[in-house]
Amino acid sequence: MRTPQVVVVMGVAGTGKTTIGPLLAARLGVPYAEGDDFHPQANIDKMTAGTPLEDADRWPWLDAIGRWAHGRAGLGGVVSSSALKRSYRDRLRAEAPGAVFVHLTGSRELIESRMSQRQGHFMPTALLDSQFATLQPLQADEAGVAVDVSGSPEEITERAAEALAAFAAASA
C-alpha cells in the first residue's frame, strides 16, 4: 500500500487515537507522533482542571503538529490529533497538504466507557460532551476515512489500514 505523506488519526477524546495511532504507524512502516505531546503545559493544565480549550488555545498546538507533519512530507508518518473542527484540519493541511485523516468514530456510551477505564490521562470524562459538541465530521471534500472504534485495537487498525488502502486506490 502506498503510504500517504502523513496520516492524522483524529476523533473525540477516548476514541483510541493513542492506541490506534502507533499500531497503524507500525502497520504502515512509518514513525508515530503523539499529538498530546505537542500541547503546551497551559493547555494540559486547563484540560486537567476540566476547562475545554478554546480555539486560541489550540492554534499553537495545531501549528506544532503541522510543523511535524510538514517535516515528514514525502517520508510518511502517523500523528494523533483530535482535529475536531474543519478549521483545525484546514490548519493542519496548510502545513501538510498531503495529509489524510482517519476519523475514529463510535457511540458516546462506548467512548465514555473507555475513557472511564483509562488511567493517567489529563482529559476527564466531564469534557466528553464538549468534544462531541465541537466535532465536525470529515466532509466529502476532505481527504480521509471514518473508522468505527468497536472491537479490539487490532480490528480497528485493520479497518483503518483497509480504508486507507481503498482511499488511496480511489484517489489514484
Side-chain angles (χ1 to χ4, degrees):
M1 177 176 116
R2 183 178 78 66
T3 302
Q5 286 186 348
V6 173
V7 174
V8 179
V9 179
M10 64 166 281
V12 300
T15 54
K17 298 180 295 290
T18 298
T19 301
I20 303 307
L23 291 172
L24 185 58
R27 171 78 186 268
L28 298 175
V30 297
Y32 171 73
E34 171 55 52
D36 285 343
D37 293 344
F38 294 90
H39 274 297
Q41 188 61 45
N43 284 6
I44 293 170
D45 293 345
K46 198 170 187 178
M47 290 182 284
T48 300
T51 304
L53 297 180
E54 298 174 11
D55 286 354
D57 300 316
R58 287 187 178 95
W59 298 138
W61 172 64
L62 291 165
D63 290 343
I65 292 171
R67 285 189 298 275
W68 182 88
H70 178 80
R72 297 300 311 163
L75 303 172
V78 174
V79 63
S80 60
S81 170
S82 54
L84 298 177
K85 288 185 180 180
R86 168 82 186 237
S87 61
Y88 304 163
R89 297 187 296 273
D90 289 344
R91 192 152 183 142
L92 291 170
R93 278 191 293 269
E95 284 289 332
V100 175
F101 292 83
V102 171
H103 180 188
L104 299 179
T105 65
S107 72
R108 189 195 183 291
E109 294 76 23
L110 173 63
I111 294 167
E112 182 177 25
S113 170
R114 289 183 177 175
M115 280 184 80
S116 66
Q117 294 174 22
R118 67 184 184 180
Q119 298 182 12
H121 197 280
F122 57 82
M123 177 67 88
T125 56
L127 291 180
L128 188 55
D129 286 335
S130 72
Q131 292 263 299
F132 273 106
T134 301
L135 177 63
Q136 296 172 344
L138 288 173
Q139 297 174 15
D141 65 333
E142 292 185 89
V145 297
V147 176
D148 181 71
V149 296
S150 59
S152 71
E154 294 75 19
E155 291 168 330
I156 299 163
T157 302
E158 182 64 24
R159 282 195 298 272
E162 289 173 0
L164 285 171
F167 178 81
S171 300

